[in-house]
Amino acid sequence: MEFAYFDKINTLIQTVETEEKEHMEQCVKLLSDAVMAKHAIYAFGASHAGILSQELYYRAGGLMTITPIFAREVLLDRSPITFTSRMERLIGYGTEVAKTVSFEKGDVLITHSVSGRNPVTIEIAKYAKEKGVSVIGITNLKYSQSVTSRHPSGRKLYDFCDIILDNHGDVGDACVPIQGTDQKSGPTSTVVGAIMLDAIVAETANELVRRGLKYPPVFYSANIDGGDQLNKKLYEEYKDQIKYSY
């Protein structure tokens, strides 16, 4: 048995490593600037797109200064799960969520929406930009440009982004054809998006050292001896940029 998904993912990784390199470098500069200037970094995605917000948040090797925006009605533990689809399409919900976030000029928002068409992410990105926040958008440009917006403005996520990271996946996200049908399986957006963001975080940490920080705000594993103490020391230094309880 051959697993076609591996071939698809490996090809996509090579594609984004080449095609998105310049945009990823721009992200490294933007995130580094934010940390050095004592600004906060936020991350948002609805439903499965929100998995990347969890990937960036409160984990060993991650930036301490990244705060997720968890909107209760579009999280995957919401029941019934179909309710999340209705809520991410509900006009005005994203704006109300955004109003609960203490965005300040100079902050950064990382957003993720593969299709980029649903109001919740569009509205959060729009609201953030109006507050002077720089917006990084992870999306699939081919996919997004092939569908209509569900927002009354007719605009999509990429219209509100300062930097766009294209995941270069298939329209519909899944990539492995199912024989004898017109369906595909194997979504790629989570894997590819996580690889791009983890690569950006790792390079941001090194860029911060190059800029003179001896210890960048990167979590130690809490499961190594002394990890908790080291994290508490970093927290005290960067607590003004950390917008969640620690």
Side-chain angles (χ1 to χ4, degrees):
M1 180 182 295
E2 294 185 3
F3 289 91
Y5 187 73
F6 282 111
D7 290 336
K8 294 285 188 178
I9 291 297
N10 285 329
T11 297
L12 281 176
I13 290 171
Q14 292 173 14
T15 298
V16 298
E17 186 177 9
T18 301
E19 299 296 326
E20 300 306 310
K21 183 175 185 292
E22 181 178 349
H23 299 144
M24 291 172 65
E25 289 172 345
Q26 292 171 0
C27 291
V28 169
K29 181 180 184 303
L30 185 61
L31 296 183
S32 299
D33 289 346
V35 173
M36 296 297 292
K38 305 298 183 182
H39 291 299
I41 303 167
Y42 297 93
F44 175 77
S47 188
H48 287 87
I51 293 172
L52 295 192
S53 299
Q54 296 182 59
E55 172 68 13
L56 291 169
Y57 168 55
Y58 192 62
R59 65 165 307 151
L63 277 178
M64 293 180 109
T65 56
I66 297 179
T67 297
I69 301 170
F70 290 145
R72 175 73 264 158
E73 307 302 341
V74 290
L75 294 180
L76 289 173
D77 62 351
R78 184 64 170 86
S79 183
I81 189 62
T82 49
F83 189 71
T84 64
S85 295
R86 296 199 295 274
M87 290 304 296
E88 68 179 345
R89 300 178 187 186
L90 181 64
I91 307 302
Y93 176 59
T95 301
E96 293 305 314
V97 170
K99 288 178 180 178
T100 70
V101 182
S102 301
F103 288 127
E104 296 182 3
K105 185 176 181 180
D107 289 345
V108 177
L109 170 65
I110 301 168
T111 56
H112 180 211
S113 174
V114 182
S115 71
R117 72 186 305 201
N118 288 314
V120 64
T121 310
I122 292 169
E123 290 175 356
I124 290 175
K126 179 177 182 293
Y127 184 92
K129 276 196 69 68
E130 290 170 352
K131 292 292 184 179
V133 175
S134 296
V135 179
I136 297 170
I138 307 166
T139 191
N140 182 321
L141 285 175
K142 180 173 64 176
Y143 187 172
S144 192
Q145 291 166 356
S146 73
V147 296
T148 57
S149 174
R150 290 190 172 119
H151 194 264
S153 68
R155 304 176 78 182
K156 300 171 188 173
L157 173 61
Y158 60 72
D159 290 312
F160 298 99
C161 295
D162 297 282
I163 303 172
I164 299 169
L165 296 174
D166 190 344
N167 67 29
H168 293 270
D170 290 3
V171 173
D173 200 7
C175 68
V176 178
I178 301 174
Q179 294 181 8
T181 77
D182 59 358
Q183 291 180 287
K184 293 181 180 179
S185 184
T188 63
S189 58
T190 303
V191 176
V192 174
I195 285 172
M196 284 196 285
L197 288 178
D198 284 334
I200 287 166
V201 167
E203 288 309 309
T204 297
N206 278 294
E207 175 62 16
L208 291 170
V209 171
R210 289 191 289 269
R211 294 189 186 193
L213 292 186
K214 186 174 182 181
Y215 294 103
V218 172
F219 277 109
Y220 292 89
S221 171
N223 295 311
I224 61 171
D225 290 340
D228 287 341
Q229 291 75 17
L230 290 165
N231 285 332
K232 287 179 181 178
K233 185 176 179 180
L234 282 171
Y235 170 75
E236 287 302 318
E237 185 174 351
Y238 293 96
K239 60 185 178 182
D240 290 341
Q241 296 170 260
I242 297 171
K243 305 301 181 179
Y244 53 88
S245 296
Y246 180 74

